[in-house]
Amino acid sequence: LVELDAEEAELYGQVTEKIARALATQESADDADDESPLGRLLRKRANILGHARAKLPALRSEIGRRENDWFQLLYCAEGRHPLADGTTGGLDEPTQLDRVLYMVGHELRMPAAKYISETPRDQRRAILRRFGAGEDLQVLLSMRCLDEGVDVPAARTAYLLASSSNPRQFIQRRGRVLRPAPGKDLADIIDFIVVPPEGAEGLHRETERRMVARELGRVAEFARLAENEAATLDVLRPLRQRYGLLEI
């Protein structure tokens, strides 16, 4: 579990209010085109969760526990933090992907590579071969390129720094790491669940509840099929009680 900071919580509340006003003029968010005003607001709100600043120290703790393990996939959020703007110099700040690559490759000294849409196709094939061989590439970092149509059965660990509430996406990501492979009996999925800070002033109670519900829907589906289902639900129980979400 990772908390939004105060700035992120305030922005999340502001964007949610704008979404509510936009929804008053159309039937549902499902009808929103990606480039429509509502579509952009929905994407911005999702990016606040995907880029939550607390995810990076949480990731460092998790991946540090597995620094000797190979065959690790890491999904990062796309673009930049929504709070990055020209007035604070945020446009010059590294993306989450670049920050994670520096953390993994330089600070933890784990051989890592990016696998993104800008990577030339022949390089992608070479990266996948190196990753599958388990010789000189320990961690593979991506955004959306490993969602569909890419087979990486050697993968044994997946970190979901950013994952859509769309079931299709998280089922695809789960599938990347759950493919059978020689010597592989289990796979670990580490999902970073974003929650409001205690006493968040920038969020209404119902906004908090709906945010948590969207996050819990995904992790409950993961837990249902996991060997540590009971332990996972124990971790989530206080959160579900706090927001009256015991049915999820």
Side-chain angles (χ1 to χ4, degrees):
L1 300 178
V2 295
E3 289 189 356
L4 293 176
D5 65 23
E7 279 188 304
E8 292 166 338
E10 182 177 5
L11 181 60
Y12 190 94
Q14 292 170 354
V15 173
T16 296
E17 289 181 9
K18 292 178 181 178
I19 289 172
R21 289 196 293 270
L23 282 172
T25 63
Q26 67 181 75
E27 291 185 7
S28 75
D30 295 334
D31 301 326
D33 179 84
D34 284 348
E35 295 307 318
S36 68
L38 176 56
R40 288 193 291 271
L41 285 169
L42 290 168
R43 191 165 60 247
K44 183 173 184 177
R45 185 171 68 178
N47 280 342
I48 297 168
L49 302 186
H51 287 271
R53 292 163 175 153
K55 287 184 176 182
L56 292 189
L59 171 67
R60 185 183 177 106
S61 174
E62 287 295 329
I63 203 167
R65 293 167 50 200
R66 301 170 178 84
E67 61 182 336
N68 295 318
D69 295 349
W70 289 72
F71 310 113
Q72 302 192 55
L73 299 181
L74 208 158
Y75 287 95
C76 292
E78 296 180 74
R80 297 179 183 274
H81 196 296
L83 284 166
D85 58 49
T87 60
T88 61
L91 291 176
D92 296 326
E93 74 177 32
T95 63
Q96 184 185 85
L97 182 71
D98 287 336
R99 289 183 182 208
V100 172
L101 183 62
Y102 184 84
M103 175 200 301
V104 174
H106 291 269
E107 295 177 359
L108 296 176
R109 299 189 180 280
M110 299 167 67
K114 293 190 289 188
Y115 186 95
I116 58 177
S117 58
E118 292 80 6
T119 308
R121 186 168 297 180
D122 58 338
Q123 289 186 27
R124 289 194 213 178
R125 288 194 293 265
I127 287 170
L128 289 180
R129 283 196 300 270
R130 291 168 57 201
F131 181 77
E135 296 174 354
D136 69 340
L137 190 54
Q138 196 172 358
V139 184
L140 200 56
L141 288 76
S142 186
M143 288 183 290
R144 297 180 64 179
C145 287
L146 289 171
D147 283 357
E148 188 173 7
V150 179
D151 197 19
V152 281
R156 286 162 167 75
T157 305
Y159 304 89
L160 306 184
L161 279 182
S163 195
S164 167
S165 58
N166 181 340
R168 180 179 176 183
Q169 186 192 77
F170 65 70
I171 288 171
Q172 286 170 346
R173 293 185 173 185
R174 181 178 67 191
R176 296 288 79 76
V177 76
L178 293 183
R179 299 290 176 87
K184 174 182 171 182
D185 300 316
L186 292 171
D188 290 328
I189 297 175
I190 298 90
D191 197 353
F192 295 80
I193 308 303
V194 182
V195 299
E198 289 281 356
E201 296 181 359
L203 294 175
H204 295 299
R205 173 72 177 183
E206 187 57 25
T207 299
E208 291 186 37
R209 187 175 187 275
R210 290 179 180 177
M211 184 187 92
V212 171
R214 279 190 291 270
E215 292 282 276
L216 288 183
R218 179 180 72 249
V219 75
E221 170 65 16
F222 283 143
R224 185 176 63 85
L225 299 173
E227 288 213 346
N228 65 334
E229 178 183 14
T232 299
L233 295 180
D234 281 346
V235 170
L236 297 175
R237 186 170 291 111
L239 190 66
R240 294 160 77 196
Q241 290 174 336
R242 175 178 162 190
Y243 290 102
L245 295 169
L246 293 174
E247 73 282 2
I248 297 180

